[in-house]
Amino acid sequence: MKRLITPLTGADVEDLRVGDRLLLSGKVYTARDAAHKRLVDLIEQNKPLPIDLEGQVIYYVGPAPARPQAVIGPAGPTTSYRMDPYTPPLLALGLKCMIGKGPRSPEVLAALKEHRAVYCAAVGGAAALLAKHIKQARVIAYPDLGTEALRELVVEDFPVIVVNDCHGGDLYEEGAARYRRTGSTD
Amino acid sequence: MRQISCAEIVRTVSSLCLKANSELGPDVMCALEGALAQEESPVGRDILRQILDNHRLAAEEGIPMCQDTGMAVVFLELGQDVHIVGGDLTEAINEGVRQGYTEGYLRKSVVADPLRRVNTDDNTPAVIHIQVVPGNRLKITVAPKGGGSENMSALAMLPPAAGEEGLRRFVLEQVERAGPNPCPPVVVGVGLGGNFEKVAYLAKKALLRPLGEEHPDPFYARLERELLTEINDLGIGPQGLGGRITALAVHIEVYPCHITGMPVAVNMNCHAARHQTAVL
Ligand code: SF4
């Protein structure tokens, strides 16, 4: 178990390897498909983004509604591949880590190596538990998107697993291969 | 004729939506404990511990275990001697879903139209299956179903010659193709036989059977055990990150079919294998 504070430095990222279990603390941004599309549209138009991405972490999540008094509703990861087309331009601007679930496209994997960044998984369906590690949440852009708005979270010991490191490792491939006991079905 | 009022149905469906989203059956918790005891991968064990902690926390606090609180699938077993009074049955079920999802701070995940995609904002309509049975009771089961696992489901009209081997291949291919997406460890519901629409229904129905209960026919009980072993030998593991436990169970539901075909369907459920039942 490694503890890391966000924003991440280049050295933090170089040290990470697939299968590392991390506890993240600090600021993390949330965005899903719709918010990603808006960010990438701004980049294409050469306009400033609502956040500086250097060293930052984006968590792919669309939380359930918060109850009165609660910081945020249950907030587990959503499937990451929907963000794949928008991801390389964000990595080019210094984004260092993404948290979601499920495999990424070859383009994203190549961009992780090129721009020295990592992709991590949070446990899908552990939304109640993960929400307990979120200490503050505020919408900082795109409130019209509701659950998909761009939020700034402050997390404490938020548990994630490194799936793709910046050295080309891929835990979806390596993990299944390690525990497989048969030939492939095709 | 025994009378059951729509108001009572609304209340029951609403509370089942809340309960199903925050509490798993003891069978699922027990299967997850068993998975933790058997898992060899350290990352896999860590994930299973988080899943168990999550489900306990959700049940204690009465909050949803997953942010995807699903589309509500509602199964009714309606006694033929029951008279529903005070309104429209379908509307009562949808009103129950509306109230449960709105008052319970559950996520609204239903769009009114598959192409135009505007959210209905109250998670209605539900998908409703009604079966008329002997007696004067009404059994209501609410099974919220998330997108991650539902989207990894599939159906094939196999030729009879495909046989047991064809069935195995099809099921294994679906689990392998799904990989991490349905949030393993999964429960694999398999429908076999009937016709095109019946087989999909059977696969869904298979997910309602308590974990640990085998098919009553020893032939299918054996097939379920063998398929479970073969699935777990794929190595996909908890969350697809590698491990010995990919599925908690395989349930097969069977129905007679036409001499020319062998329909098969696979409906995946995630570890948040949610369903709650009440009898009125
Ligand atoms: S597949 Fe199940 S556990 Fe995973 S995010 Fe969807 S509803 Fe939640």
Side-chain angles (χ1 to χ4, degrees):
Chain A
M1 216 55 107
K2 280 189 195 168
R3 285 199 150 79
L4 276 183
I5 309 284
T6 67
L8 303 181
T9 65
D12 288 339
V13 170
E14 294 293 329
D15 272 353
L16 296 176
R17 292 292 183 281
V18 289
D20 283 352
R21 284 166 273 163
L22 309 180
L23 297 174
L24 290 180
S25 299
K27 277 183 194 163
V28 164
Y29 294 98
T30 77
R32 292 171 45 122
D33 329 24
H36 271 77
K37 181 163 190 327
R38 292 192 190 182
L39 293 175
V40 170
D41 284 348
L42 290 174
I43 294 173
E44 281 168 2
Q45 296 159 17
N46 278 319
K47 291 192 180 147
L49 300 185
I51 48 174
D52 176 7
L53 287 173
E54 187 58 48
Q56 299 301 340
V57 180
I58 291 184
Y59 180 26
Y60 304 145
V61 60
R67 298 187 174 216
Q69 322 302 334
V71 172
I72 196 165
T78 190
T79 307
S80 303
Y81 72 79
R82 297 196 314 271
M83 273 54 79
D84 283 351
Y86 308 115
T87 297
L90 302 184
L91 290 169
L93 288 181
L95 177 67
K96 281 287 171 229
C97 172
M98 295 153 290
I99 304 168
K101 67 171 179 119
R104 311 302 306 262
S105 68
E107 292 75 20
V108 172
L109 300 187
L112 287 175
K113 274 171 88 173
E114 185 187 343
H115 301 295
R116 314 312 285 169
V118 293
Y119 169 58
C120 295
V123 176
L129 183 74
L130 292 170
K132 292 281 169 203
H133 294 274
I134 300 173
K135 301 300 172 186
Q136 291 172 38
R138 64 186 180 105
V139 173
I140 55 168
Y142 317 138
D144 57 301
L145 296 179
T147 184
E148 299 204 34
L150 188 66
R151 286 180 172 77
E152 182 188 272
L153 309 181
V154 177
V155 301
E156 209 178 278
D157 289 341
F158 190 88
V160 301
I161 301 155
V162 179
V163 173
N164 294 107
D165 57 31
C166 66
H167 313 286
D170 183 346
L171 191 57
Y172 286 123
E173 295 281 329
E174 295 165 25
R178 193 170 312 144
Y179 293 96
R180 177 186 271 279
R181 297 224 172 133
T182 50
S184 154
T185 51
D186 48 46
Chain B
M1 272 292 176
R2 182 168 162 254
Q3 296 198 337
I4 296 179
S5 73
C6 279
E8 197 178 350
I9 294 170
V10 171
R11 273 197 304 277
T12 307
V13 170
S14 162
S15 69
L16 286 174
C17 288
L18 294 174
K19 189 166 177 210
N21 270 298
S22 59
E23 259 176 69
L24 287 173
D27 59 323
V28 183
M29 292 304 283
C30 176
L32 286 166
E33 297 271 10
L36 176 59
Q38 276 176 279
E39 181 55 64
E40 292 166 16
S41 148
V43 169
R45 279 201 300 273
D46 194 32
I47 290 166
L48 289 165
R49 264 186 230 111
Q50 278 190 50
I51 289 174
L52 280 159
D53 286 351
N54 179 70
H55 294 346
R56 286 190 200 109
L57 178 72
E60 268 165 37
E61 299 199 358
I63 55 175
M65 62 193 81
C66 185
Q67 78 285 344
D68 186 349
T69 50
M71 191 166 189
V73 185
V74 181
F75 293 87
L76 296 188
E77 282 178 30
L78 175 62
Q80 61 193 26
D81 298 325
V82 171
H83 183 201
I84 307 283
V85 295
D88 171 327
L89 174 59
T90 304
E91 189 33 50
I93 295 165
N94 282 325
E95 184 56 30
V97 169
R98 186 174 290 125
Q99 290 184 9
Y101 275 74
T102 314
E103 289 160 19
Y105 296 92
L106 305 181
R107 201 178 77 183
K108 322 302 180 289
S109 311
V110 176
V111 291
D113 179 285
L115 288 178
R116 287 168 292 184
R117 309 203 72 84
V118 176
N119 200 299
T120 62
D121 285 332
D122 59 8
N123 221 53
T124 67
V127 174
I128 304 170
H129 301 289
I130 303 180
Q131 192 186 353
V132 178
V133 298
N136 63 359
R137 314 297 298 240
L138 173 62
K139 182 172 165 189
I140 307 177
T141 299
V142 174
K145 192 66 165 63
S149 55
E150 191 71 358
N151 287 342
M152 292 297 117
S153 304
L155 190 155
M157 304 303 282
L158 297 181
E164 195 178 308
E165 195 42 43
L167 170 71
R168 279 174 198 275
R169 277 187 88 81
F170 184 74
V171 174
L172 286 171
E173 276 166 16
Q174 302 324 310
V175 177
E176 181 138 58
R177 180 184 60 97
N181 294 323
C183 287
V186 291
V187 177
V188 183
V190 180
L192 178 65
N195 61 0
F196 184 75
E197 79 277 10
K198 178 79 177 180
V199 77
Y201 172 76
L202 289 173
K204 173 76 64 184
K205 200 92 208 252
L207 299 178
L208 300 181
R209 193 202 303 164
L211 299 186
E213 199 176 297
E214 294 194 317
H215 196 285
D217 178 342
F219 175 82
Y220 284 106
R222 172 190 55 84
L223 200 53
E224 287 178 350
R225 281 195 300 272
E226 290 175 3
L227 267 170
L228 180 62
T229 304
E230 288 174 54
I231 287 170
N232 285 334
D233 280 348
L234 293 173
I236 294 167
Q239 296 291 305
L241 294 171
R244 296 292 304 145
I245 308 292
T246 304
L248 300 173
V250 178
H251 291 169
I252 308 177
E253 290 295 313
V254 187
Y255 197 80
C257 65
H258 192 269
I259 49 173
T260 59
M262 194 183 94
V264 46
V266 172
N267 194 206
M268 299 274 192
N269 212 356
C270 42
H271 63 79
R274 297 164 281 193
H275 51 89
Q276 290 288 345
T277 299
V279 179
L280 301 182

